[in-house]
């Protein structure tokens, strides 16, 4: 009997070593290939594991095929959402239901190779709380997707910070501590590829070559890519609101210049009666309105940040919480005896 059959599932968080969360939406074409490739990889790790397949309201035979696979694979759990909620929501559901000390998020299309999980686990055991899967080669993607992805990551690094790994999607391994931190954050529309780096946990990277989709069609068409980019900007920056502030200030300065132009024209007698007063009044009112709109945007941005209620810091450790180091026994000559520390 294989290793996968011998390992018993546990309902206690922490007793399972590894959880693999797989969001799925209309993926009937890849279920058999996913199981055939993922199961041997996990069995060869020789750890207690579970696979949490999150069905995101599929309308095809995805759940039926997963149920058939689960009869022969007891480590496979099926979490069903009542309706299609989106990739990030399905990933959130899987993170909340996972029990493992380490949790891997993996797409079902097999573009991210499951064989990389072994290296991720090695780095996690070495002390990395987050291990990112970084795409070293995206030649299997279309020209449009490669260049839009490059532009997206460049923009996100400017907004969130340089700690966002370039070309790192949702293929990653996180520790139980990271999962618990994510669960405490009041995020309604989380974008994990930005949110997790912003937490500042110690991290490592595993580089791999992105493969072609195993079967089926992509579940991230252009409209969803645009929605993800907008959620990324709106969740982590008040730049759209501040844009109104800068436009208002620039327009107000332009209005002042045009007012001066109109007054000069009036003094020179090159304008018709009444034109200067109307021109100045309209420009002054428009400039003031734009400045007030910009100021309103600044306060709305602060209200938005307060509603998000994200902590301003995350404590990594506190020496007061650590057990005191044992005192060194004195040697015969009064000097402490040197001790080897692992």
């Amino acid at each position: 009997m294989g290793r996968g059959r011998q390992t018993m599932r546990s309902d206690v968080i922490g007793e399972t070593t590894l959880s693999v969360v797989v969001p799925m939406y209309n993926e009937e074409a890849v279920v058999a290939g996913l199981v055939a490739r993922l199961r041997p990889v996990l069995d060869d790790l020789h750890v207690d594991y579970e696979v949490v397949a999150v069905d995101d309201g599929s309308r095809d035979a995805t759940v039926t095929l997963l149920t058939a696979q689960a009869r022969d694979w007891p480590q496979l759990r099926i979490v069903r959402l009542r309706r299609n909620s989106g990739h990030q929501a399905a990933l959130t559901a899987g993170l909340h239901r996972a029990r493992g000390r380490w949790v891997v998020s993996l797409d079902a299309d097999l573009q991210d190779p499951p064989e990389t999980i072994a290296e991720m686990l090695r780095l996690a055991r070495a002390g990395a709380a987050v291990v990112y899967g970084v795409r070293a080669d995206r030649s299997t993607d279309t020209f449009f997707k490669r260049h839009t992805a490059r532009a997206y990551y460049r923009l996100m690094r400017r907004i969130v910070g340089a700690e966002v790994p370039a070309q790192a999607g949702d293929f990653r391994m996180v520790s139980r501590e990271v999962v618990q931190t994510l669960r405490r954050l009041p995020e309604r529309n989380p974008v994990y590829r930005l949110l997790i780096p912003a937490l500042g946990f110690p991290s490592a990277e595993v580089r791999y070559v992105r493969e072609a989709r195993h079967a089926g069609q992509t579940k991230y068409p252009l409209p969803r890519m645009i929605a993800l980019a907008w959620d990324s900007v709106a969740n982590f920056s008040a730049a759209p609101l501040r844009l109104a502030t800068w436009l208002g200030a620039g327009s107000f300065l332009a209005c002042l210049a045009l007012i001066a132009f109109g007054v000069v024209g009036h003094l020179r007698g090159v304008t018709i009666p009444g034109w200067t007063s109307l021109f100045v009044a309209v420009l002054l009112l428009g400039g003031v309105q734009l400045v007030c709109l910009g100021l309103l945007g600044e306060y709305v941005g602060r209200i938005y940040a307060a509603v998000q209620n994200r902590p301003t810091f995350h404590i990594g450790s506190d020496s007061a919480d650590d057990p005191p180091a044992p005192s060194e026994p004195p040697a015969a000559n009064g000097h402490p005896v040197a001790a080897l520390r692992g």
Side-chain angles (χ1 to χ4, degrees):
M1 185 175 294
R3 170 69 183 175
R5 290 290 192 89
Q6 295 174 2
T7 306
M8 298 299 293
R9 288 185 296 178
S10 171
D11 292 332
V12 181
I13 290 178
E15 291 188 7
T16 302
T17 301
L18 179 66
S19 295
V20 180
V21 175
V22 187
M24 307 184 76
Y25 175 64
N26 291 345
E27 296 286 10
E28 62 180 4
V30 303
V31 170
L34 174 67
V35 173
R37 189 167 171 185
L38 179 60
R39 184 174 184 178
V41 170
L42 298 179
D43 287 345
D44 288 343
L45 294 177
H46 302 293
V47 298
D48 294 330
Y49 71 85
E50 63 174 359
V51 177
V52 184
V54 182
D55 174 62
D56 189 19
S58 296
R59 300 173 183 174
D60 60 3
T62 298
V63 174
T64 302
L65 295 174
L66 285 173
T67 303
Q69 294 287 348
R71 296 191 187 101
D72 188 52
W73 194 12
Q75 285 77 23
L76 177 60
R77 295 171 53 197
I78 304 171
V79 177
R80 299 186 62 183
L81 305 187
R82 294 188 181 276
R83 63 177 180 85
N84 179 244
S85 302
H87 181 271
Q88 297 295 298
L91 183 54
T92 301
L95 290 174
H96 284 202
R97 303 296 293 182
R99 309 185 185 113
R101 291 164 52 197
W102 291 289
V103 182
V104 176
S105 54
L106 175 70
D107 287 342
D109 55 18
L110 293 176
Q111 287 190 280
D112 304 322
E115 292 79 9
T116 312
I117 295 176
E119 178 65 12
M120 286 182 166
L121 185 59
R122 184 189 69 81
L123 292 173
R125 284 172 163 170
V130 183
V131 182
Y132 299 102
V134 177
R135 300 158 185 171
D137 182 7
R138 302 188 64 146
S139 58
T140 57
D141 291 340
T142 63
F143 175 86
F144 176 78
K145 188 169 184 178
R146 286 199 306 270
H147 285 76
T148 53
R150 186 177 296 112
Y152 169 82
Y153 285 108
R154 187 181 299 116
L155 175 63
M156 293 306 107
R157 287 167 74 91
R158 291 185 63 120
I159 291 177
V160 182
E163 67 272 9
V164 177
Q167 305 301 327
D170 287 315
F171 181 37
R172 71 180 73 84
M173 177 180 289
V174 296
S175 67
R176 171 56 48 183
E177 182 184 5
V178 175
V179 173
Q180 298 291 18
T181 301
L182 291 173
R183 294 186 65 175
R184 289 194 294 267
L185 296 178
E187 298 286 330
R188 181 169 180 81
N189 297 304
V191 181
Y192 289 111
R193 63 186 66 187
L194 303 181
L195 185 58
I196 291 176
L199 298 178
F201 283 94
S203 63
E205 295 182 357
V206 174
R207 303 183 70 83
Y208 65 95
V209 176
R210 187 168 173 82
E211 303 177 12
R213 183 179 176 86
H214 177 75
Q217 297 180 346
T218 178
K219 303 307 182 294
Y220 251 98
L222 181 60
R224 289 203 174 190
M225 292 172 60
I226 295 175
L228 176 65
W230 172 248
D231 284 342
S232 302
V233 174
N235 283 2
F236 286 88
S237 175
L241 291 173
R242 291 201 173 97
L243 180 62
T245 302
W246 289 108
L247 288 176
S251 299
F252 183 72
L253 294 176
C255 289
L256 292 179
L258 291 173
I259 288 173
F261 171 77
V263 171
V264 171
H266 174 72
L267 295 176
R268 289 183 176 181
V270 296
T271 59
I272 62 176
W275 178 86
T276 302
S277 58
L278 179 63
F279 184 68
V280 170
V282 170
L283 288 176
L284 184 61
L285 182 61
V288 170
Q289 286 178 331
L290 289 172
V291 169
C292 292
L293 181 63
L295 293 175
L296 181 63
E298 288 291 320
Y299 282 100
V300 170
R302 283 160 174 75
I303 294 172
Y304 176 60
V307 170
Q308 283 182 313
N309 196 29
R310 288 180 185 151
T312 56
F313 59 87
H314 301 276
I315 296 177
S317 63
D318 186 339
S319 60
D321 298 331
D322 299 331
S327 58
E328 305 290 353
N333 56 6
H335 296 288
V337 175
L340 295 176
R341 300 182 182 272

